[in-house]
Amino acid sequence: MSTRKDVIVVGAGVMGCSIAYHLGRRGISTYIVDRESIAVRASGKAWAVFTYGPAMLAYERCVTGPFEVLESGPVDTSLTVPGESVGDWLFLHSASYDRMPEFAIELKERGGIDIEYCETPSTNLVTQEEFEKAGGPQELLRPVRSVGGVECDWIDAAALQEQFPTLNPDYVGGITYPAGQVEPYKFTLAMAQAAEKLGAETVRGEVVDFATKGDKITGVRLASGNELQADAVVLAMGPWTGKGSALLGCEIGCRAVMTECLRATMPGGPGEPADLPLHTL
């Protein structure tokens, strides 16, 4: 069997479904291909917090001032390249962050799912040792504020203990900043269903090879023997991208970063301060 659409998106995680949805908004038809189902892996179990742009940049230690890269320090290459401006990245991140409230409404209307978007402050906890090493709260806030993070603030130990009575007393304060959060599986599924209403088709199958003509990729071959054809193929396979690209003889280096996410209902019940996200620096 051979069928055709404009684009094939390999991977039905959050990125693949987002790509298919936004292409659909522009009238571009897609296949969303995955060997399992929508958001089965990391996308359905992720923390799903939309981080305040300036806070992320500052804590990655890849900037010393507005849009300046710190070449001598550790740089997350997913954010920027040493020696180049991060201005475009910061603008895109901030624009995406600001769009989320409207996007939640849009997905409910088009995808038929409430993604449970909410706005809540996040707090990075600071120990006495970290506090002394930094030289006080203003120095802890400086990296975030240097990249435009005017909405961040310092919470002292007394305020922390009032909000979180059972908090470890080793923490002497924290930096709070805005954040948004969604239910990860519902978020990904909503984009997939909205994409389908715009002409996308979800296909379950394992990609085992690419169809080519000369130096152009014309489609993918599935383990079932079926072939899907398109004008372009997008790999949205997360940590499996290297495996997919290896089929073309040009493996894309990809390193998975493993973290753990614990969901728990804290004393106080939903919506109480005890449920606010806490992190350590």
Side-chain angles (χ1 to χ4, degrees):
M1 182 183 76
S2 179
T3 50
R4 185 177 190 85
K5 285 189 181 289
D6 296 320
V7 176
I8 297 170
V9 180
V10 183
V14 65
M15 295 306 299
C17 293
S18 177
I19 290 168
Y21 171 63
H22 286 92
L23 287 175
R25 291 182 64 200
R26 290 161 175 78
I28 300 171
S29 63
T30 61
Y31 282 116
I32 307 172
V33 184
D34 199 286
R35 65 179 181 177
E36 293 177 287
S37 188
I38 295 167
V40 169
R41 299 290 176 172
S43 292
K45 305 171 181 66
W47 187 25
V49 168
F50 296 86
T51 311
Y52 186 47
M56 174 177 283
L57 287 171
Y59 290 130
E60 289 291 347
R61 296 183 177 86
C62 65
V63 291
T64 54
F67 314 146
E68 296 175 7
V69 174
L70 178 60
E71 296 186 23
S72 61
V75 176
D76 185 336
T77 55
S78 69
L79 302 182
T80 184
V81 177
E84 295 186 5
S85 170
V86 295
D88 290 341
W89 186 94
L90 180 58
F91 175 80
L92 180 60
H93 186 287
S94 297
S96 299
Y97 177 87
D98 293 339
R99 183 173 180 251
M100 278 308 302
E102 177 186 349
F103 192 39
I105 297 172
E106 181 180 318
L107 286 180
K108 188 171 183 179
E109 293 175 346
R110 291 186 170 181
I113 294 176
D114 180 2
I115 63 173
E116 300 180 15
Y117 173 77
C118 63
E119 296 179 347
T120 180
S122 287
T123 303
N124 282 80
L125 300 175
V126 179
T127 64
Q128 181 67 41
E129 181 181 356
E130 292 165 339
F131 183 85
E132 294 175 355
K133 184 178 179 179
Q138 293 307 313
E139 285 303 306
L140 285 164
L141 291 170
R142 185 183 64 81
V144 186
R145 288 181 172 168
S146 70
V147 290
V150 296
E151 297 179 67
C152 67
D153 207 352
W154 173 256
I155 300 179
D156 61 23
L160 272 179
Q161 287 296 325
E162 183 178 349
Q163 293 187 53
F164 309 100
T166 60
L167 187 67
N168 190 323
D170 288 347
Y171 295 112
V172 298
I175 300 171
T176 182
Y177 52 88
Q181 189 168 17
V182 299
E183 203 290 319
Y185 176 71
K186 291 181 178 180
F187 179 51
T188 309
L189 182 62
M191 287 191 291
Q193 291 189 173
E196 289 173 348
K197 290 183 178 179
L198 295 172
E201 183 178 341
T202 302
V203 177
R204 183 174 180 178
E206 182 179 1
V207 175
V208 295
D209 201 1
F210 291 92
T212 60
K213 184 176 182 180
D215 60 356
K216 180 178 174 59
I217 299 173
T218 59
V220 299
R221 296 190 179 96
L222 306 181
S224 64
N226 290 343
E227 180 177 313
L228 305 176
Q229 295 184 337
D231 295 326
V233 176
V234 177
L235 297 183
M237 303 170 65
W240 295 275
T241 298
K243 181 179 178 180
S245 60
L247 296 173
L248 293 167
C250 55
E251 184 173 350
I252 298 173
C254 184
R255 178 174 59 89
V257 178
M258 304 298 290
T259 61
E260 293 183 345
C261 177
L262 173 65
R263 294 187 182 185
T265 300
M266 304 296 288
E272 296 298 320
D275 283 327
L276 300 182
L278 294 173
H279 329 288
T280 56
L281 289 176

